[in-house]
Amino acid sequence: MILKQSLLNFLKIGAIPLLLTGVALRQIILVQTLGLSPWHGGGFGMFASIDRDERRVIKTRLIDCQQQQEIMLPELVAASPKFLKAETYIHVSTFPTLQQLSRVGQRLLSIDSQNPIAELYGENREQGCDTKIQLQAWRLVYDGKTIVYEPIADPVEVEL
C-alpha cells in the first residue's frame, strides 16, 4: 500500500516535469548535433533564435565537366510541385541530415520526365561527363553585430 501510494505521488508530482525535461534535452541535443531548427522538436529555445525553417536555405550547385550552376530549390519546388514537394523541402531544411540531403540530390539527378533540371545535365551525360550535385543547408544567425547565414553541416555531394 505504501509503495502504491509513493508511486501515485511520484506520478502526480514528478512525472510531468521529468517528461518535459526529457523532451527539452532531446530537442537541445538534436539542435546542437544534427541541425534541427529550434522551432521544432519541442520548441524549447524557439523564441531565442531567428533560425526558423522558412529562413533556412539549401544551397544547391550542379557541377559538370564544363561549369557549375546554382539551382534555386524554392523556385524549383514552386515550379514543379509534383517533382519535389514543398513538404519535402521544408522537412529537409528543418532537419538536414546527410541521408535526407543525399535523397534530394539523387532525386534531382534522376532521369525522370518530370525532372525540370534534367535538360541542364542531359547533354553532358550523353558526352560521358560525370554530373554531380552538391547540397548544403544554411541557417540564419545573429553573430552579435550582423545577421548572416552560416552552414549547418558540410556539403553533401551526390553523383549517379
Side-chain angles (χ1 to χ4, degrees):
M1 186 69 176
I2 294 174
L3 182 63
K4 185 177 177 182
Q5 197 67 347
S6 297
L7 182 62
L8 285 173
N9 282 340
F10 170 73
L11 290 176
K12 287 179 183 177
I13 297 171
I16 292 175
L18 189 61
L19 178 66
L20 287 174
T21 302
V23 170
L25 286 173
R26 177 186 168 271
Q27 196 255 354
I28 290 168
I29 290 169
L30 290 175
V31 166
Q32 296 300 318
T33 60
L34 295 177
L36 176 68
S37 172
W39 285 78
H40 296 276
F44 295 94
M46 63 189 219
F47 294 113
S49 172
I50 58 173
D51 179 21
R52 293 187 57 166
D53 51 345
E54 67 266 4
R55 293 187 181 119
R56 286 188 171 200
V57 176
I58 298 177
K59 290 190 176 183
T60 308
R61 185 175 293 129
L62 186 66
I63 304 167
D64 61 21
C65 297
Q66 302 165 357
Q67 64 181 354
Q68 292 186 14
Q69 184 172 356
E70 294 283 330
I71 299 170
M72 304 303 287
L73 280 184
E75 293 173 7
L76 181 74
V77 167
S80 304
K82 289 182 180 179
F83 179 70
L84 189 62
K85 295 179 182 174
E87 295 85 23
T88 303
Y89 178 76
I90 291 170
H91 182 71
V92 172
S93 66
T94 300
F95 196 44
T97 63
L98 296 175
Q99 293 83 9
Q100 290 182 10
L101 289 170
S102 294
R103 269 187 249 134
V104 170
Q106 289 169 354
R107 179 79 175 131
L108 292 173
L109 288 176
S110 68
I111 301 172
D112 188 347
S113 61
Q114 295 180 345
N115 189 344
I117 64 166
E119 62 191 39
L120 297 175
Y121 60 82
E123 298 168 5
N124 294 331
R125 193 175 276 170
E126 293 171 2
Q127 297 172 358
C129 182
D130 291 334
T131 302
K132 296 186 270 186
I133 198 157
Q134 186 181 69
L135 297 109
Q136 186 175 24
W138 293 67
R139 66 176 155 209
L140 202 59
V141 295
Y142 177 67
D143 67 359
K145 296 179 183 173
T146 58
I147 297 174
V148 295
Y149 277 97
E150 75 174 13
I152 296 172
D154 294 334
V156 174
E157 279 193 9
V158 178
E159 61 183 294
L160 290 178

